[in-house]
Amino acid sequence: MSEYVINDNGAWCWFQDERAIVDPETQTLVVGSIAVAEGPGGEGRAGNVELTVVDLRSRTAQVVVLHEAFEADDHDVPALWRRADGRWLAVYTKHKTDDLLRWRISEPGDPTRWGPEQVFDWAPYTGGRGVTYANLHALEGRLYCFSRAVNDDPCALVSDDNGDTWAYAGKIFTRPKIGYVNGYTRYAGSGERIDLITTDHHPRDYDNSIYHGFFAGGALHRSDGSLVHEHLFDPATDAPSQVELTTVLAAGEELDGVTLTHAWTSDIRRSANGTIAATLTARGDDDPAGPDEEFARLRPVLDHRFVYARKEPDGGWSRHPLGKAGAGLLPHEQDYTGLATIDPYDLDSVYVSTPFDPRSGKETAYHEIYAGRTTDGGATWAWTPVTENSDVDNLRPIIAPGDPDRVVLLWFRGEMTASQHYRCEIVLRDTPRNSEGNIER
């Protein structure tokens, strides 16, 4: 099935989840995004926190505004959660410009009708330094919202009433801050275990490694199950440093003859059998090319690489090259790329946004989307183009979970010059999954 536009003005960051969810009973897709002045609607729509509600059967879409004129910044995209009572929960923050976490709850079974906005004030814990991001995951019967907050570390709120109210749980990690903020964390899973991958700091400020751990049994563990911290989210105890977790990709590690540095997290998923897969980005054979520290920190980076990392239930981590990711996407954010995402129901399938055709290595005029599939744990990949010969960039693909019988692929396309300035539209390709787990093309 060909793709179609569901929202003519929107984009998202990649440190919130879930940004899109399918309700399999009603075949309804809900997608969060932020509108800006450069797109249709202009200043009158700038900063709107929007949900696009799509009927996948009729291919009709309705845009619902959660908060008008909130902030024109893709970091503000909401995290979504489908509650057992049929209501939807949407949680969102500004980009470190205030200390409020906001949330709204829908009418039962209807994500086009929402109750009033409510707020949790992080200021008593942050000292007024701001909060960013929302990630919703359930653990052992409680709902958690993971944000970047105190000391710009990953932190958590907890709810015992499915998001009706929230309380401070504590820090996940902490360490002395270097540069802009501390670790960039991605989360996966709900139920009895939540997995995560994280960095040291921002890759602009630090030569990051990537670390993995998981929450279970009220504690934080390394990949092998060994204990890191037994007082999970306890505000009365010091949180551990992420360097105590398992190192997935070490700064300076060489893969396929390329030295990888300044790594960043892209996606993580865990399958029902316990296999974990993650996609990462890193600079390839990076050379500072100058003695001036500020120049080295802000100069353009021309070569990024995608990495596929995988852990089988009874093994350690393997790391495999996934292809070229190209130059820094934005002039002032030299480590931004088009990103790579994993199919939550098929860890052998990924989707990448890159200006290099992974089949040939040939550079293309714009970022295109490619579907990759492996049959050997990531060592080799077969690639199929999703987009071709585009006249704009195709960026930040995601697969919306909720219905394992279909592959609901989303991305946005257009021109992006900053997280606050873009002219992009959101595209959907909805495809049935065949008996082997592959998508039908």
Side-chain angles (χ1 to χ4, degrees):
M1 182 181 292
S2 62
E3 67 264 18
Y4 56 101
V5 175
I6 60 171
N7 189 327
D8 61 4
N9 183 351
W12 48 72
C13 185
W14 69 103
F15 290 105
Q16 310 90 341
D17 274 320
E18 298 288 346
R19 287 158 285 170
I21 302 179
V22 176
D23 179 349
E25 295 180 1
T26 63
Q27 289 298 290
T28 300
L29 166 69
V30 182
V31 186
S33 59
I34 304 295
V36 292
E38 287 84 350
E43 288 291 348
R45 194 173 167 189
N48 284 0
V49 179
E50 297 184 345
L51 296 179
T52 305
V53 180
V54 184
D55 185 329
L56 294 174
R57 296 163 298 192
S58 65
R59 299 179 63 176
T60 57
Q62 177 181 348
V63 176
V64 178
V65 179
L66 289 180
H67 191 127
E68 291 185 354
F70 185 60
E71 185 179 53
D73 194 310
D74 68 13
H75 290 61
D76 302 350
V77 65
L80 304 172
W81 182 261
R82 286 180 60 241
R83 301 186 355 164
D85 63 1
R87 299 177 187 268
W88 293 70
L89 170 67
V91 182
Y92 44 99
T93 72
K94 289 189 173 182
H95 186 189
K96 209 178 170 182
T97 55
D98 71 21
D99 295 88
L100 301 180
L101 178 128
R102 285 95 165 166
W103 72 96
R104 294 181 69 178
I105 299 170
S106 80
E107 294 298 314
D110 188 355
T112 67
R113 299 169 59 219
W114 292 80
E117 185 178 82
Q118 303 176 72
V119 298
F120 177 89
D121 189 357
W122 278 91
Y125 310 99
T126 64
R129 297 176 65 178
V131 62
T132 312
Y133 305 136
N135 293 268
L136 296 171
H137 297 269
L139 178 64
E140 298 162 346
R142 310 180 84 187
L143 185 60
Y144 286 87
C145 181
F146 302 116
S147 298
R148 189 179 70 202
V150 184
N151 191 48
D152 288 314
D153 288 313
C155 300
L157 301 180
V158 65
S159 175
D160 289 315
D161 50 19
N162 297 304
D164 285 340
T165 60
W166 294 93
Y168 179 55
K171 285 187 177 186
I172 302 172
F173 311 113
T174 193
R175 62 193 299 182
K177 194 164 69 171
I178 293 178
Y180 179 51
V181 295
N182 283 338
Y184 282 81
T185 309
R186 299 301 317 273
Y187 308 88
S190 289
E192 301 305 309
R193 169 171 167 156
I194 298 174
D195 286 82
L196 62 87
I197 52 173
T198 192
T199 71
D200 299 280
H201 305 283
H202 193 295
R204 177 180 58 231
D205 301 316
Y206 193 83
D207 188 5
N208 287 328
S209 296
I210 303 294
Y211 310 95
H212 169 263
F214 66 92
F215 309 129
L220 175 64
H221 306 265
R222 299 179 184 88
S223 299
D224 63 4
S226 60
L227 185 67
V228 176
H229 198 247
E230 62 182 350
H231 300 292
L232 187 60
F233 311 129
D234 184 353
T237 65
D238 289 334
S241 168
Q242 48 266 58
V243 300
E244 297 182 43
L245 302 177
T246 299
T247 300
V248 175
L249 181 72
E253 185 170 344
E254 186 176 297
L255 285 182
D256 200 25
V258 178
T259 300
L260 302 176
T261 59
H262 296 265
W264 219 353
T265 48
S266 182
D267 196 13
I268 179 174
R269 294 289 179 178
R270 185 173 184 269
S271 70
N273 72 359
T275 301
I276 306 165
T279 51
L280 320 171
T281 61
R283 301 181 190 181
D285 287 335
D286 187 49
D287 182 359
D292 182 81
E293 181 177 345
E294 186 69 8
F295 170 79
R297 194 176 73 87
L298 297 176
R299 79 194 189 292
V301 175
L302 302 179
D303 184 8
H304 294 87
R305 304 300 175 105
F306 291 125
V307 175
Y308 180 81
R310 183 165 174 141
K311 183 187 181 302
E312 305 299 339
D314 298 321
W317 285 92
S318 62
R319 297 159 303 281
H320 298 287
L322 198 56
K324 290 186 174 182
L329 189 62
L330 306 177
H332 58 292
E333 289 285 5
Q334 71 270 54
D335 292 288
Y336 276 25
T337 69
L339 299 180
T341 196
I342 304 163
D343 187 333
Y345 300 110
D346 182 4
L347 272 54
D348 291 329
S349 293
V350 301
Y351 293 81
V352 302
S353 164
T354 174
F356 287 90
D357 189 329
R359 298 168 297 176
S360 64
K362 181 180 178 181
E363 188 169 8
T364 55
Y366 294 95
H367 282 68
E368 306 283 5
I369 306 289
Y370 300 89
R373 182 158 184 83
T374 183
T375 58
D376 52 17
T380 60
W381 294 86
W383 295 98
T384 304
V386 175
T387 64
E388 294 183 278
N389 303 314
S390 301
D391 55 7
V392 293
D393 284 325
N394 300 272
L395 302 170
R396 297 180 182 168
I398 54 176
I399 303 290
D403 187 349
D405 293 328
R406 58 203 314 161
V407 180
V408 180
L409 173 65
L410 297 145
W411 69 94
F412 58 85
R413 67 187 180 197
E415 180 183 9
M416 186 176 218
T417 58
S419 295
Q420 301 78 25
H421 299 286
Y422 42 86
R423 186 179 179 89
C424 295
E425 58 187 13
I426 298 172
V427 183
L428 166 65
R429 192 183 76 162
D430 174 28
T431 315
R433 195 186 299 272
N434 70 24
S435 59
E436 285 76 37
N438 303 321
I439 60 172
E440 297 178 358
R441 304 188 187 283

PDB file of all heavy atoms in Angstrom, residues 28-51:
ATOM      1  N   THR A  28      -7.578   2.122  15.121  1.00  0.00           N
ATOM      2  CA  THR A  28      -7.311   3.554  15.214  1.00  0.00           C
ATOM      3  C   THR A  28      -5.846   3.768  15.536  1.00  0.00           C
ATOM      4  O   THR A  28      -5.302   3.163  16.468  1.00  0.00           O
ATOM      5  CB  THR A  28      -8.172   4.199  16.314  1.00  0.00           C
ATOM      6  OG1 THR A  28      -9.550   3.995  16.011  1.00  0.00           O
ATOM      7  CG2 THR A  28      -7.887   5.700  16.421  1.00  0.00           C
ATOM      8  N   LEU A  29      -5.198   4.637  14.783  1.00  0.00           N
ATOM      9  CA  LEU A  29      -3.821   5.052  15.016  1.00  0.00           C
ATOM     10  C   LEU A  29      -3.827   6.458  15.593  1.00  0.00           C
ATOM     11  O   LEU A  29      -4.533   7.344  15.083  1.00  0.00           O
ATOM     12  CB  LEU A  29      -3.035   5.039  13.700  1.00  0.00           C
ATOM     13  CG  LEU A  29      -1.689   5.750  13.675  1.00  0.00           C
ATOM     14  CD1 LEU A  29      -0.657   5.007  14.528  1.00  0.00           C
ATOM     15  CD2 LEU A  29      -1.185   5.910  12.241  1.00  0.00           C
ATOM     16  N   VAL A  30      -3.036   6.673  16.654  1.00  0.00           N
ATOM     17  CA  VAL A  30      -2.872   8.007  17.225  1.00  0.00           C
ATOM     18  C   VAL A  30      -1.392   8.362  17.167  1.00  0.00           C
ATOM     19  O   VAL A  30      -0.544   7.576  17.614  1.00  0.00           O
ATOM     20  CB  VAL A  30      -3.391   8.075  18.671  1.00  0.00           C
ATOM     21  CG1 VAL A  30      -3.241   9.495  19.216  1.00  0.00           C
ATOM     22  CG2 VAL A  30      -4.851   7.637  18.737  1.00  0.00           C
ATOM     23  N   VAL A  31      -1.076   9.543  16.623  1.00  0.00           N
ATOM     24  CA  VAL A  31       0.301   9.985  16.397  1.00  0.00           C
ATOM     25  C   VAL A  31       0.482  11.381  16.979  1.00  0.00           C
ATOM     26  O   VAL A  31      -0.301  12.291  16.668  1.00  0.00           O
ATOM     27  CB  VAL A  31       0.642  10.032  14.893  1.00  0.00           C
ATOM     28  CG1 VAL A  31       2.118  10.357  14.693  1.00  0.00           C
ATOM     29  CG2 VAL A  31       0.271   8.738  14.202  1.00  0.00           C
ATOM     30  N   GLY A  32       1.510  11.579  17.803  1.00  0.00           N
ATOM     31  CA  GLY A  32       1.793  12.894  18.358  1.00  0.00           C
ATOM     32  C   GLY A  32       2.805  13.656  17.529  1.00  0.00           C
ATOM     33  O   GLY A  32       3.729  13.073  16.953  1.00  0.00           O
ATOM     34  N   SER A  33       2.666  14.987  17.472  1.00  0.00           N
ATOM     35  CA  SER A  33       3.604  15.833  16.725  1.00  0.00           C
ATOM     36  C   SER A  33       3.450  17.277  17.171  1.00  0.00           C
ATOM     37  O   SER A  33       2.529  17.626  17.912  1.00  0.00           O
ATOM     38  CB  SER A  33       3.378  15.716  15.216  1.00  0.00           C
ATOM     39  OG  SER A  33       2.061  16.101  14.867  1.00  0.00           O
ATOM     40  N   ILE A  34       4.370  18.119  16.692  1.00  0.00           N
ATOM     41  CA  ILE A  34       4.364  19.548  17.015  1.00  0.00           C
ATOM     42  C   ILE A  34       4.344  20.343  15.711  1.00  0.00           C
ATOM     43  O   ILE A  34       5.169  20.113  14.810  1.00  0.00           O
ATOM     44  CB  ILE A  34       5.610  19.950  17.827  1.00  0.00           C
ATOM     45  CG1 ILE A  34       5.724  19.104  19.097  1.00  0.00           C
ATOM     46  CG2 ILE A  34       5.564  21.448  18.167  1.00  0.00           C
ATOM     47  CD1 ILE A  34       4.622  19.292  20.095  1.00  0.00           C
ATOM     48  N   ALA A  35       3.413  21.284  15.599  1.00  0.00           N
ATOM     49  CA  ALA A  35       3.327  22.155  14.430  1.00  0.00           C
ATOM     50  C   ALA A  35       4.189  23.395  14.637  1.00  0.00           C
ATOM     51  O   ALA A  35       4.420  23.827  15.778  1.00  0.00           O
ATOM     52  CB  ALA A  35       1.882  22.564  14.170  1.00  0.00           C
ATOM     53  N   VAL A  36       4.672  23.983  13.531  1.00  0.00           N
ATOM     54  CA  VAL A  36       5.505  25.184  13.595  1.00  0.00           C
ATOM     55  C   VAL A  36       5.024  26.209  12.575  1.00  0.00           C
ATOM     56  O   VAL A  36       4.233  25.903  11.677  1.00  0.00           O
ATOM     57  CB  VAL A  36       6.997  24.847  13.360  1.00  0.00           C
ATOM     58  CG1 VAL A  36       7.569  24.045  14.508  1.00  0.00           C
ATOM     59  CG2 VAL A  36       7.192  24.114  12.040  1.00  0.00           C
ATOM     60  N   ALA A  37       5.563  27.428  12.704  1.00  0.00           N
ATOM     61  CA  ALA A  37       5.092  28.545  11.881  1.00  0.00           C
ATOM     62  C   ALA A  37       5.424  28.383  10.408  1.00  0.00           C
ATOM     63  O   ALA A  37       4.723  28.927   9.538  1.00  0.00           O
ATOM     64  CB  ALA A  37       5.689  29.855  12.406  1.00  0.00           C
ATOM     65  N   GLU A  38       6.487  27.637  10.087  1.00  0.00           N
ATOM     66  CA  GLU A  38       6.878  27.484   8.690  1.00  0.00           C
ATOM     67  C   GLU A  38       5.902  26.634   7.886  1.00  0.00           C
ATOM     68  O   GLU A  38       5.868  26.691   6.654  1.00  0.00           O
ATOM     69  CB  GLU A  38       8.275  26.852   8.597  1.00  0.00           C
ATOM     70  CG  GLU A  38       9.407  27.778   8.986  1.00  0.00           C
ATOM     71  CD  GLU A  38       9.659  27.821  10.486  1.00  0.00           C
ATOM     72  OE1 GLU A  38       8.827  27.280  11.263  1.00  0.00           O
ATOM     73  OE2 GLU A  38      10.678  28.382  10.897  1.00  0.00           O
ATOM     74  N   GLY A  39       5.096  25.816   8.561  1.00  0.00           N
ATOM     75  CA  GLY A  39       4.178  24.919   7.879  1.00  0.00           C
ATOM     76  C   GLY A  39       2.820  25.538   7.650  1.00  0.00           C
ATOM     77  O   GLY A  39       2.550  26.688   8.033  1.00  0.00           O
ATOM     78  N   PRO A  40       1.911  24.787   7.011  1.00  0.00           N
ATOM     79  CA  PRO A  40       0.541  25.267   6.819  1.00  0.00           C
ATOM     80  C   PRO A  40      -0.089  25.673   8.142  1.00  0.00           C
ATOM     81  O   PRO A  40       0.058  25.008   9.158  1.00  0.00           O
ATOM     82  CB  PRO A  40      -0.165  24.044   6.212  1.00  0.00           C
ATOM     83  CG  PRO A  40       0.929  23.302   5.493  1.00  0.00           C
ATOM     84  CD  PRO A  40       2.151  23.491   6.345  1.00  0.00           C
ATOM     85  N   GLY A  41      -0.793  26.783   8.124  1.00  0.00           N
ATOM     86  CA  GLY A  41      -1.373  27.346   9.340  1.00  0.00           C
ATOM     87  C   GLY A  41      -0.548  28.458   9.926  1.00  0.00           C
ATOM     88  O   GLY A  41      -1.062  29.266  10.709  1.00  0.00           O
ATOM     89  N   GLY A  42       0.756  28.505   9.577  1.00  0.00           N
ATOM     90  CA  GLY A  42       1.620  29.609   9.958  1.00  0.00           C
ATOM     91  C   GLY A  42       1.667  29.859  11.455  1.00  0.00           C
ATOM     92  O   GLY A  42       1.602  28.950  12.269  1.00  0.00           O
ATOM     93  N   GLU A  43       1.777  31.126  11.822  1.00  0.00           N
ATOM     94  CA  GLU A  43       1.906  31.510  13.226  1.00  0.00           C
ATOM     95  C   GLU A  43       0.682  31.097  14.049  1.00  0.00           C
ATOM     96  O   GLU A  43       0.797  30.838  15.243  1.00  0.00           O
ATOM     97  CB  GLU A  43       2.109  33.030  13.336  1.00  0.00           C
ATOM     98  CG  GLU A  43       3.480  33.519  12.875  1.00  0.00           C
ATOM     99  CD  GLU A  43       4.594  33.091  13.812  1.00  0.00           C
ATOM    100  OE1 GLU A  43       4.288  32.625  14.931  1.00  0.00           O
ATOM    101  OE2 GLU A  43       5.774  33.221  13.428  1.00  0.00           O
ATOM    102  N   GLY A  44      -0.481  31.028  13.412  1.00  0.00           N
ATOM    103  CA  GLY A  44      -1.681  30.650  14.135  1.00  0.00           C
ATOM    104  C   GLY A  44      -1.668  29.213  14.615  1.00  0.00           C
ATOM    105  O   GLY A  44      -2.455  28.839  15.490  1.00  0.00           O
ATOM    106  N   ARG A  45      -0.757  28.423  14.060  1.00  0.00           N
ATOM    107  CA  ARG A  45      -0.665  27.011  14.443  1.00  0.00           C
ATOM    108  C   ARG A  45       0.654  26.699  15.150  1.00  0.00           C
ATOM    109  O   ARG A  45       0.851  25.596  15.656  1.00  0.00           O
ATOM    110  CB  ARG A  45      -0.809  26.160  13.182  1.00  0.00           C
ATOM    111  CG  ARG A  45      -1.076  24.695  13.405  1.00  0.00           C
ATOM    112  CD  ARG A  45      -1.362  24.010  12.081  1.00  0.00           C
ATOM    113  NE  ARG A  45      -1.339  22.558  12.191  1.00  0.00           N
ATOM    114  CZ  ARG A  45      -1.380  21.739  11.154  1.00  0.00           C
ATOM    115  NH1 ARG A  45      -1.456  22.238   9.923  1.00  0.00           N
ATOM    116  NH2 ARG A  45      -1.344  20.426  11.334  1.00  0.00           N
ATOM    117  N   ALA A  46       1.546  27.667  15.197  1.00  0.00           N
ATOM    118  CA  ALA A  46       2.891  27.435  15.710  1.00  0.00           C
ATOM    119  C   ALA A  46       2.868  26.983  17.161  1.00  0.00           C
ATOM    120  O   ALA A  46       2.219  27.597  18.003  1.00  0.00           O
ATOM    121  CB  ALA A  46       3.729  28.704  15.578  1.00  0.00           C
ATOM    122  N   GLY A  47       3.586  25.907  17.441  1.00  0.00           N
ATOM    123  CA  GLY A  47       3.689  25.405  18.793  1.00  0.00           C
ATOM    124  C   GLY A  47       2.551  24.533  19.256  1.00  0.00           C
ATOM    125  O   GLY A  47       2.538  24.101  20.417  1.00  0.00           O
ATOM    126  N   ASN A  48       1.587  24.254  18.393  1.00  0.00           N
ATOM    127  CA  ASN A  48       0.484  23.387  18.794  1.00  0.00           C
ATOM    128  C   ASN A  48       0.982  21.969  19.076  1.00  0.00           C
ATOM    129  O   ASN A  48       1.701  21.377  18.258  1.00  0.00           O
ATOM    130  CB  ASN A  48      -0.581  23.308  17.711  1.00  0.00           C
ATOM    131  CG  ASN A  48      -1.457  24.546  17.641  1.00  0.00           C
ATOM    132  OD1 ASN A  48      -1.268  25.496  18.411  1.00  0.00           O
ATOM    133  ND2 ASN A  48      -2.401  24.552  16.719  1.00  0.00           N
ATOM    134  N   VAL A  49       0.583  21.417  20.232  1.00  0.00           N
ATOM    135  CA  VAL A  49       0.787  19.991  20.498  1.00  0.00           C
ATOM    136  C   VAL A  49      -0.390  19.269  19.868  1.00  0.00           C
ATOM    137  O   VAL A  49      -1.534  19.447  20.287  1.00  0.00           O
ATOM    138  CB  VAL A  49       0.860  19.703  22.009  1.00  0.00           C
ATOM    139  CG1 VAL A  49       1.055  18.208  22.260  1.00  0.00           C
ATOM    140  CG2 VAL A  49       1.975  20.507  22.653  1.00  0.00           C
ATOM    141  N   GLU A  50      -0.112  18.450  18.854  1.00  0.00           N
ATOM    142  CA  GLU A  50      -1.180  17.863  18.058  1.00  0.00           C
ATOM    143  C   GLU A  50      -1.167  16.340  18.123  1.00  0.00           C
ATOM    144  O   GLU A  50      -0.114  15.705  18.248  1.00  0.00           O
ATOM    145  CB  GLU A  50      -1.065  18.313  16.605  1.00  0.00           C
ATOM    146  CG  GLU A  50      -1.225  19.807  16.432  1.00  0.00           C
ATOM    147  CD  GLU A  50      -1.224  20.271  15.000  1.00  0.00           C
ATOM    148  OE1 GLU A  50      -0.815  19.485  14.111  1.00  0.00           O
ATOM    149  OE2 GLU A  50      -1.628  21.428  14.757  1.00  0.00           O
ATOM    150  N   LEU A  51      -2.350  15.765  18.016  1.00  0.00           N
ATOM    151  CA  LEU A  51      -2.529  14.333  17.803  1.00  0.00           C
ATOM    152  C   LEU A  51      -3.248  14.140  16.481  1.00  0.00           C
ATOM    153  O   LEU A  51      -4.272  14.786  16.228  1.00  0.00           O
ATOM    154  CB  LEU A  51      -3.358  13.701  18.922  1.00  0.00           C
ATOM    155  CG  LEU A  51      -2.776  13.710  20.327  1.00  0.00           C
ATOM    156  CD1 LEU A  51      -3.757  13.073  21.298  1.00  0.00           C
ATOM    157  CD2 LEU A  51      -1.429  12.998  20.378  1.00  0.00           C
TER     158      LEU A  51
END
